[in-house]
């Protein structure tokens, strides 16, 4: 009798999880028809991101190259004035933003891109990352310039503020308010999708290979851990991220380097496969256009350049030089996409695992590492969990700032409850629906954000010229 009751309970729970999955999948499919509108076979949002990144790079005279060395000095703390207003150092702001970008997009996202678009997708992913450095510079400079500092020292900043305030100063107040509200709504969606459910989904996929937990139990445990951290706000998030992100990156990068160096003779042919696949793709759905789309989508999902999310974290940095924080931010797409994503791609291509159609996402990457370092998939599972966890806590802050902009400080507990519930949902629904929902929310954030960036680009370019002029004249104080 007891066994029958237990079986009925399991069947009931299984039916509930299946219902959640079905409802979520249908909702995502309906949204995709509207938000992924295409022109000539290319989603409009992909054209928007590519065109915007190229425009910003030309308008800022390739600041992504000219200011690269200076960015490293700033992150090292040479220009950190302890008396400046803000909640985070330059390094903590970079770490908090990287904790939301360096993660499963680099591990699972690259594998998905290579499997769906072929090795050539990596070429377009890298190119999108290089141009995206300037998009990140523009949005984070504006976030610093138009941030709000409260009497208690708290900082409010991000696209919501520079869209509303910056456009108002140019006589476009109604448009600015509309774009700010639209961005805030999409940012909340992005925090629940790519910043939450995708992380829960893929971290469970990695952990379940070694720890026999049902997805619903894993979802409950992860939701509890996330809830404990996000109550602490951006200061706790910044300190946790600064501790976790460098160590996670180091372990992952060292393992990738080991595989690449032990197969160094195969690296030239791997690059040749990537480059040839970028222009002459074979057996890839959609041909050249399909490869291009996969590369750009996965690049933006990984480094978030152009969507404005990182600007929320960089707005809280301690500095009175908005351009300086923008220069720090341009390092993110380079670290995230040009370095880490390419390492993952080389491992996947060198080992040939990307041709395994039975695996996908993080499982594919784990299999690639496992072919050379037999025990590494266990360590990778731990790294995936930590990557996912750090991404979640950073994105919870982004979503909360957007929620506060719309509803005020008194309603943040409602958002936190929704965020924690979505951790559970992400763990129990299928990857395809989670990935599509995450892409839609993250990519569409670029519409209002980059439109505002286009309108305000002249003042950013003027501020950049002034900053670099003062830097070259040696009038900026150095503190260490």
């Amino acid at each position: 009798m007891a066994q029958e009751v237990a079986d009925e309970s399991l069947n009931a729970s299984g039916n509930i999880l299946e219902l959640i999955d079905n409802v979520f999948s249908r909702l995502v499919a309906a949204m995709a028809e509207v938000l992924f509108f295409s022109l000539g076979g290319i989603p409009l949002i992909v054209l928007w991101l590519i065109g915007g990144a190229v425009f910003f790079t030309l308008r800022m005279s390739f600041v992504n190259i000219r200011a690269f060395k200076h960015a490293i000095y700033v992150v090292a703390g040479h220009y950190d004035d302890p008396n400046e207003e803000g909640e985070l150092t330059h390094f903590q702001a970079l770490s908090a933003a990287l904790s939301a970008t360096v993660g499963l997009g680099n591990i699972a996202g690259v594998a998905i891109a290579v499997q769906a678009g072929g090795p050539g997708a990596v070429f377009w992913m890298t190119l999108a990352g290089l141009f995206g450095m300037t998009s990140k510079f523009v949005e984070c400079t504006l976030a610093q310039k138009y941030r709000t500092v409260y009497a208690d020292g708290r900082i409010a900043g991000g696209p919501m503020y520079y869209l509303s305030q910056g456009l108002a100063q140019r006589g476009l107040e109604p448009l600015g308010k509309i774009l700010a509200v639209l961005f805030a709504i999409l940012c909340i969606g992005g925090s629940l999708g790519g910043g939450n459910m995708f992380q829960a989904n893929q971290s469970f996929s990695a952990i379940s290979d070694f720890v026999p937990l049902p997805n619903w139990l894993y979802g409950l445990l992860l939701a509890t851990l996330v809830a404990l951290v996000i109550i602490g706000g951006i200061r706790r998030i910044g300190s946790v991220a600064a501790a976790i992100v460098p160590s996670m990156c180091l372990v992952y990068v060292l393992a990738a380097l080991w595989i690449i160096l032990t197969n160094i003779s195969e690296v030239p042919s791997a690059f040749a496969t990537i480059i040839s696949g970028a222009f002459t793709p074979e057996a890839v759905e959609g041909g050249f256009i399909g490869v291009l789309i996969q590369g750009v989508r996965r690049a933006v999902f990984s480094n978030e350049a152009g969507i404005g999310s990182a600007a929320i974290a960089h707005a809280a940095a301690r500095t009175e030089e908005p351009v300086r924080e923008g220069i720090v931010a341009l390092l993110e797409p380079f670290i995230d996409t040009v370095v880490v994503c390419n390492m993952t791609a080389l491992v996947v291509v060198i080992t040939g695992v990307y041709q395994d159609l039975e695996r996908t996402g993080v499982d594919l990457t784990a299999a690639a590492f496992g072919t050379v370092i037999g025990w590494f998939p266990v360590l990778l599972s731990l790294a995936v969990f930590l990557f996912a966890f750090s991404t979640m806590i950073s994105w919870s802050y982004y979503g909360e700032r957007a929620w506060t902009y719309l509803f005020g400080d008194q309603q943040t507990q409602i958002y936190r409850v929704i965020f924690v519930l979505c951790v559970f949902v992400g763990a129990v629904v299928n990857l395809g629906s989670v990935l599509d929902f995450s892409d839609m929310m993250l990519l569409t954030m670029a519409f209002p954000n980059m439109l505002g960036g286009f309108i305000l680009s002249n003042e950013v370019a003027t501020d950049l010229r002034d900053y670099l002029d003062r830097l070259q004249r040696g009038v900026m104080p150095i503190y260490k």
Side-chain angles (χ1 to χ4, degrees):
M1 183 66 177
Q3 183 62 42
E4 291 179 359
V5 172
D7 290 341
E8 289 179 1
S9 297
L10 286 173
N11 289 333
S13 62
N15 291 335
I16 292 173
L17 296 181
E18 185 177 349
L19 177 63
I20 293 173
D21 189 19
N22 288 337
V23 171
F24 183 72
S25 298
R26 291 177 181 177
L27 176 64
V28 170
M31 293 172 62
E33 293 183 5
V34 177
L35 297 179
F36 276 165
F37 176 76
S38 297
L39 289 175
I42 304 180
L44 180 60
I45 184 59
V46 171
L47 292 172
W48 183 255
L49 284 161
I50 294 172
V54 172
F55 169 79
F56 287 140
T57 301
L58 296 175
R59 184 68 186 84
M60 304 302 154
S61 303
F62 292 89
V63 66
N64 52 338
I65 298 173
R66 292 190 298 143
F68 190 87
K69 182 179 179 180
H70 178 59
I72 296 173
Y73 281 110
V74 175
V75 172
H78 293 297
Y79 297 89
D80 284 349
D81 182 351
N83 297 316
E84 289 179 320
E85 291 183 317
E87 299 183 77
L88 303 174
T89 65
H90 290 293
F91 178 73
Q92 285 180 327
L94 179 66
S95 295
L98 279 173
S99 70
T101 58
V102 175
L104 293 184
N106 308 84
I107 299 173
V110 173
I112 291 169
V114 173
Q115 194 172 50
V122 179
F123 176 86
W124 298 111
M125 182 185 297
T126 303
L127 199 62
L130 290 171
F131 281 103
M133 293 170 69
T134 316
S135 298
K136 190 72 72 88
F137 163 77
V138 171
E139 62 196 18
C140 292
T141 297
L142 289 171
Q144 271 283 329
K145 186 171 184 177
Y146 290 101
R147 69 181 183 174
T148 298
V149 181
Y150 295 108
D152 60 1
R154 290 183 301 112
I155 302 291
M160 304 84 70
Y161 296 88
Y162 60 72
L163 287 171
S164 58
Q165 298 174 23
L167 269 61
Q169 291 186 11
R170 299 181 70 87
L172 300 171
E173 183 174 358
L175 176 62
K177 288 183 177 179
I178 292 172
L179 293 179
V181 170
L182 176 59
F183 176 86
I185 293 171
L186 294 171
C187 184
I188 293 170
S191 74
L192 301 179
N196 185 335
M197 289 190 281
F198 177 78
Q199 311 299 322
N201 185 285
Q202 286 293 277
S203 61
F204 170 73
S205 179
I207 293 294
S208 63
D209 290 338
F210 305 100
V211 182
L213 286 176
N215 55 4
W216 64 267
L217 180 57
Y218 176 79
L220 286 176
L221 293 174
L222 184 58
T224 301
L225 290 174
V226 170
L228 291 174
V229 174
I230 65 176
I231 293 173
I234 187 60
R235 285 187 174 90
R236 180 178 295 178
I237 291 171
S239 60
V240 170
I244 291 177
V245 172
S247 57
M248 286 192 302
C249 288
L250 181 63
V251 171
Y252 186 77
V253 167
L254 287 177
L257 277 175
W258 172 258
I259 295 175
I260 292 169
L261 292 175
T262 54
N263 294 273
I264 193 67
S265 61
E266 298 179 38
V267 171
S269 63
F271 274 122
T273 300
I274 290 171
I275 294 172
S276 63
F279 299 97
T280 57
E282 298 177 2
V284 175
E285 184 179 355
F288 171 76
I289 298 299
V291 175
L292 175 64
I293 292 171
Q294 283 296 330
V296 174
R297 283 179 64 171
R298 298 279 66 79
V300 174
F301 189 93
S302 178
N303 63 49
E304 299 171 13
I307 69 175
S309 54
I312 301 173
H314 284 282
R318 284 197 296 267
T319 184
E320 293 177 1
E321 296 279 1
V323 170
R324 181 176 295 160
E325 193 58 30
I327 289 173
V328 169
L330 64 78
L331 290 175
E332 290 166 22
F334 182 83
I335 296 171
D336 180 278
T337 304
V338 179
V339 177
V340 182
C341 282
N342 269 277
M343 285 185 169
T344 301
L346 283 175
V347 171
V348 171
V349 173
I350 286 172
T351 58
V353 174
Y354 70 94
Q355 298 175 356
D356 182 356
L357 301 179
E358 295 182 1
R359 300 176 185 271
T360 187
V362 68
D363 290 335
L364 191 71
T365 305
F369 276 88
T371 59
V372 180
I373 309 174
W375 51 266
F376 191 74
V378 179
L379 184 59
L380 182 62
S381 295
L382 176 60
V384 165
F385 174 79
L386 293 176
F387 273 127
F389 186 68
S390 65
T391 299
M392 284 175 160
I393 60 177
S394 291
W395 262 99
S396 70
Y397 175 72
Y398 296 166
E400 186 172 311
R401 290 298 88 204
W403 184 279
T404 300
Y405 180 82
L406 293 174
F407 305 110
D409 285 323
Q410 305 303 316
Q411 307 297 327
T412 56
Q413 293 301 332
I414 297 175
Y415 167 79
R416 291 174 182 175
V417 170
I418 295 173
F419 189 88
V420 171
L421 287 174
C422 283
V423 176
F424 176 80
V425 174
V428 301
V429 298
N430 70 82
L431 172 61
S433 297
V434 168
L435 190 62
D436 286 343
F437 177 75
S438 301
D439 278 350
M440 280 188 289
M441 292 296 99
L442 292 177
L443 293 173
T444 49
M445 287 167 62
F447 277 120
N449 180 58
M450 295 190 75
L451 179 56
F454 294 148
I455 297 172
L456 300 172
S457 60
N458 282 341
E459 64 181 74
V460 176
T462 299
D463 293 343
L464 174 61
R465 284 194 297 271
D466 174 68
Y467 179 89
L468 293 179
D469 177 66
R470 288 185 288 122
L471 178 65
Q472 291 170 0
R473 289 189 286 114
V475 298
M476 291 183 178
I478 299 176
Y479 294 90
K480 74 173 183 178

